[in-house]
């Protein structure tokens, strides 16, 4: 499970200025948000809000966390998912760059992760995650999306695009974790053992180790702060129950569905990914019916936080010029 952690890294030379000391955070965020030093994480955290989403599997609407766009226009929006057991804060560096480019941009917390209100715990299996996201799209986004999924978020995106093709114009898959067979043997664990594993999952040492695996160069002081960003949602009181529910449900298994994807797809991969081999990027490129691929040099598993300028540029080109034009600029591996 460490393989799909989506944690953050601070980068210079972004144009957005964050006045962290004056941040006013939403009251539903864990108080530990105040310990975070990363000014871009703090700035994006102030924009997180909860919107009611009505779903069939819950009597009450789920107050669902997201970052809404400042820009809304007639063009199809870019919608950002996140990786396994992460949140919309994963996008703190790339999100402002996409807004600067004039794109209507949403960052959505996948059901069971992020900062949604799950006090009356709904099911957090694959079907529920898909239904929740569909109802969110139907209620608020309402236009075909350029859907962006990093790591396990790529599996979420593929699953959604196949089941709701009318809602997805194009796909962007970043260091995609799409060949794992769900949660594997973890699905068969007794619940008491599963809870013990989940407790370890949010531990600071494990998250620090995931940071060192995920990025090409990271100092201890920065890794510690980014760990506080990456595990903030784990401090919500229902997180453990939601995590166990997903783990024991079997998780995502989309490998057999990849060839069914009809949308044009951009694959982005970090050249130095130590978590998922770029050989799988080549395999994914071959299996998707209409895809192009771009590798980012000197970059690890999470390019949108390690090389946000490169990722934003690729997404903007993909949105504006279409697959054929991007293919001319982005040679295959």
């Amino acid at each position: 499970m460490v393989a799909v952690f989506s944690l953050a890294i601070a980068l210079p030379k972004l144009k957005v200025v964050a006045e962290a000391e004056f941040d006013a955070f939403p009251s539903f965020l864990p108080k530990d948000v105040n310990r975070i030093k990363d000014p871009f994480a703090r700035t994006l955290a102030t924009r997180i809000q909860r919107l009611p989403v009505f779903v069939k599997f819950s009597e009450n609407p789920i107050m669902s966390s997201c970052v809404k766009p400042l820009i809304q226009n007639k063009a199809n929006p870019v919608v950002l998912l996140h990786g396994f057991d992460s949140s919309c804060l994963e996008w703190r560096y790339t999100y402002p760059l996409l807004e600067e480019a004039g794109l209507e941009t949403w960052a959505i917390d996948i059901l069971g992760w992020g900062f949604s209100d799950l006090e009356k715990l709904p099911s957090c299996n694959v079907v529920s995650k898909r239904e929740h996201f569909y109802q969110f799209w139907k209620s608020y986004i309402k236009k075909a999306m350029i859907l962006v999924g990093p790591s396990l978020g790529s599996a979420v995106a593929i699953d959604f695009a196949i089941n709701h093709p009318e809602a997805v114009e194009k796909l962007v898959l970043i260091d995609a974790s799409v060949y794992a067979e769900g949660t594997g043997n973890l699905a068969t664990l007794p619940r008491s053992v599963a809870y013990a594993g989940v407790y370890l999952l949010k531990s600071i040492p494990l998250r620090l180790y995931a940071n060192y695996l995920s990025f090409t160069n990271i100092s201890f002081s920065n890794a510690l702060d980014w760990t506080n960003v990456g595990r903030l949602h784990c401090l919500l009181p229902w997180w453990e129950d939601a995590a166990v529910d997903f783990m024991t449900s079997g998780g995502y298994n989309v490998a057999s569905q990849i060839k069914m994807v009809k949308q044009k797809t951009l694959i982005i991969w970090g050249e130095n990914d130590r978590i998922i081999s770029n050989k799988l990027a080549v395999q994914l490129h071959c299996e998707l019916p209409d895809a192009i691929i771009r590798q980012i040099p000197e970059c690890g598993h999470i390019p949108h936080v390690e090389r946000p300028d490169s990722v934003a540029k690729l997404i903007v080109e993909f949105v504006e010029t279409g697959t054929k034009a991007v293919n001319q600029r982005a040679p295959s591996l």
Side-chain angles (χ1 to χ4, degrees), residues 7 85 201-211 227 230 234:
L7 305 175
D85 194 27
L201 191 61
K202 72 174 180 180
S203 68
I204 290 176
L206 188 58
R207 297 261 169 172
L208 276 171
Y209 179 64
N211 264 322
T227 295
C234 301

Side-chain angles (χ1 to χ4, degrees), residues 9-247:
I9 186 170
L11 295 174
K13 300 182 181 178
L14 292 180
K15 297 179 181 179
V16 178
V17 177
E19 298 293 342
E21 60 269 29
F22 298 110
D23 289 334
F25 299 115
S27 60
F28 56 78
L29 292 182
K31 293 181 180 179
D32 282 47
V33 68
N34 293 289
R35 297 175 54 195
I36 293 172
K37 298 176 182 179
D38 182 342
F40 298 100
R42 294 177 68 92
T43 295
L44 195 61
T46 65
R47 291 184 56 184
I48 298 174
Q49 56 185 286
R50 286 173 172 171
L51 302 175
V53 175
F54 293 85
V55 292
K56 298 176 182 177
F57 55 87
S58 176
E59 293 183 1
N60 301 301
I62 298 173
M63 298 303 296
S64 305
S65 50
C66 66
V67 178
K68 289 181 63 177
L70 296 176
I71 303 165
Q72 290 186 279
N73 49 47
K74 294 181 180 180
N76 286 347
V78 173
V79 177
L80 308 171
L81 302 177
H82 54 73
F84 169 75
D85 194 27
S86 185
S87 76
C88 57
L89 291 178
E90 189 176 300
W91 288 99
R92 60 192 178 275
Y93 302 115
T94 304
Y95 190 101
L97 297 178
L98 295 173
E99 282 197 327
E100 271 189 17
L103 300 181
E104 177 181 334
T105 307
W106 296 74
I108 308 296
D109 280 339
I110 299 166
L111 180 70
W113 301 315
F115 303 101
S116 298
D117 185 351
L118 304 181
E119 184 174 3
K120 296 183 178 179
L121 185 70
S123 172
C124 293
N125 60 25
V126 169
V127 173
S128 298
K129 290 177 189 293
R130 182 196 311 139
E131 170 67 10
H132 172 263
F133 184 29
Y134 177 71
Q135 294 302 330
F136 187 105
W137 172 81
K138 188 176 179 180
S139 297
Y140 300 105
I141 300 174
K142 303 178 182 179
K143 293 181 288 186
M145 306 173 284
I146 293 83
L147 184 57
V148 184
S151 196
L152 189 67
S154 292
V156 178
I158 287 174
D159 172 81
F160 188 84
I162 289 172
N163 285 278
H164 298 290
E166 75 283 3
V168 182
E169 179 193 2
K170 298 178 181 179
L171 286 172
V172 179
L173 308 179
I174 303 175
D175 289 72
S177 176
V178 293
Y179 290 107
E181 297 182 358
T183 54
N185 293 331
L186 296 174
T188 63
L189 291 176
R191 291 187 73 86
S192 59
V193 178
Y195 273 97
V198 163
Y199 180 81
L200 177 64
L201 191 61
K202 72 174 180 180
S203 68
I204 290 176
L206 188 58
R207 297 261 169 172
L208 276 171
Y209 179 64
N211 264 322
Y212 284 110
L213 283 179
S214 296
F215 301 107
T216 53
N217 188 19
I218 187 171
S219 68
F220 178 79
S221 59
N222 286 336
L224 187 59
D225 190 46
W226 305 330
T227 295
N228 289 333
V229 175
R231 69 188 292 272
L232 183 65
H233 66 286
C234 301
L235 305 180
L236 292 169
W238 45 77
W239 173 80
E240 290 183 1
D241 294 329
V244 168
D245 188 81
F246 174 73
M247 182 188 299

